[in-house]
Amino acid sequence: MITGASSGIGKATALECAKLGASLVVTARNKERLQTVLGKLDRSKAQEHQMVLADIATDEGLNTLISSLPALDGVSSNAGIIVVNAPIKFLKDDVMENVYNVNTMSHVKLARNLYKKKILKKNASYVFTVSVGGVTAFNVGNSAYGMAKAALNSFMKFCAVDFSTRGIRCNSVCPGMIETPMTDTNGLFTEDDYQKDMEHYLLKRYGKPEEVAWTTAFLLSDASSFITGVPLLVDGGASIVK
């Protein structure tokens, strides 16, 4: 299952996993975009794909999704939003609550339900899309987003411990800046700003969604069968350039 599959990293993960032969359940809250992704999924190996329209940041949406699922071999948990940067003294309660609800609690509640209801098969793999924000990167104005992502990364490790009794592996991917709609700031930053920021990356560029998707596919596959509890950085080397 791929959550947040209608755009960005979630969409790329769905497309790449289908190419590798996986049968998918794709879910998101935007019907039109999700249907477009469903139509593009590879079916050359007789895969059977389904979509579930649901906003998993709400109890109603979560229940809709859970009741629609078959047993799962793996999960790529991608749902997320980004917020406008603000120094700590200007943080607003409603902004923090919203970003925590979507970027942390929706993932927590989904994982809890999938495990409790035994929808996750034994020896399944669970991959959370986190971020370098709050894990290796601590920038002015990014505290709300970073704290939510750091909490999710910590939750991943607790899942790795709890779920290991059924042989279920849990890991996270922690991307740096990736060229997705989430990083479009509507003119807040200029092209020069972006170019200057790219200098902080050893590879002197931002990542592509499919580069994160390939990492997730590796963690979902048997190729990573002895890896669990690991936050895997996908950041073009930015974390070691300080």
Side-chain angles (χ1 to χ4, degrees):
M1 179 176 67
I2 315 292
T3 73
S6 63
S7 66
I9 291 171
K11 174 183 176 180
T13 302
L15 294 173
E16 296 304 319
C17 285
K19 288 179 186 177
L20 293 168
S23 292
L24 301 180
V25 179
V26 292
T27 183
R29 58 187 180 182
N30 186 295
K31 183 177 181 179
E32 183 178 353
R33 292 204 308 253
L34 189 60
Q35 286 178 326
T36 299
V37 172
L38 181 68
K40 292 181 178 179
L41 296 178
D42 187 283
R43 291 173 170 79
S44 62
K45 300 177 179 65
Q47 302 98 310
E48 295 182 4
H49 307 304
Q50 71 177 89
M51 63 171 269
V52 181
L53 187 67
D55 181 356
I56 62 171
T58 67
D59 289 340
E60 180 183 3
L62 181 60
N63 292 335
T64 295
L65 177 60
I66 292 295
S67 65
S68 304
L69 292 175
L72 298 173
D73 295 297
V75 176
S76 172
S77 195
N78 297 283
I81 58 172
I82 197 164
V83 292
V84 176
N85 285 359
I88 289 173
K89 65 181 179 180
F90 295 123
L91 284 179
K92 297 181 179 179
D93 290 352
D94 60 338
V95 171
M96 288 191 292
E97 289 167 5
N98 187 37
V99 74
Y100 263 97
N101 185 47
V102 177
N103 289 5
T104 307
M105 292 310 300
S106 69
H107 296 262
V108 171
K109 291 178 181 179
L110 177 61
R112 180 185 65 190
N113 277 276
L114 293 177
Y115 185 73
K116 183 177 181 179
K117 297 178 184 297
K118 296 187 177 180
I119 296 172
L120 288 173
K121 294 181 182 179
K122 288 185 177 181
N123 302 316
S125 178
Y126 210 119
V127 182
F128 298 91
T129 299
V130 183
S131 172
V132 294
V135 177
T136 64
F138 302 88
N139 304 319
V140 174
N142 202 36
S143 57
Y145 181 83
M147 288 187 296
K149 288 296 189 176
L152 180 59
N153 198 56
S154 178
F155 177 70
M156 173 275 291
K157 296 179 182 182
F158 284 106
C159 286
V161 174
D162 277 21
F163 295 4
S164 65
T165 58
R166 296 184 196 164
I168 298 170
R169 298 182 297 109
C170 301
N171 296 286
S172 63
V173 290
C174 299
M177 284 288 283
I178 305 297
E179 295 175 354
T180 72
M182 280 186 67
T183 57
D184 182 359
T185 57
N186 294 318
L188 184 62
F189 299 109
T190 67
E191 186 61 32
D192 285 344
D193 291 330
Y194 284 120
Q195 290 298 323
K196 187 178 297 184
D197 187 55
M198 288 180 195
E199 291 301 312
H200 296 290
Y201 290 73
L202 287 179
L203 301 183
K204 305 305 179 187
R205 65 175 178 85
Y206 291 155
K208 297 178 175 60
E210 57 267 29
E211 292 176 309
V212 183
W214 296 330
T215 306
T216 298
F218 163 70
L219 291 173
L220 288 171
S221 76
D222 290 341
S224 60
S225 57
F226 203 53
I227 299 175
T228 193
V230 172
L232 187 52
L233 298 179
V234 188
D235 70 346
S239 59
I240 62 172
V241 181
K242 298 294 183 184

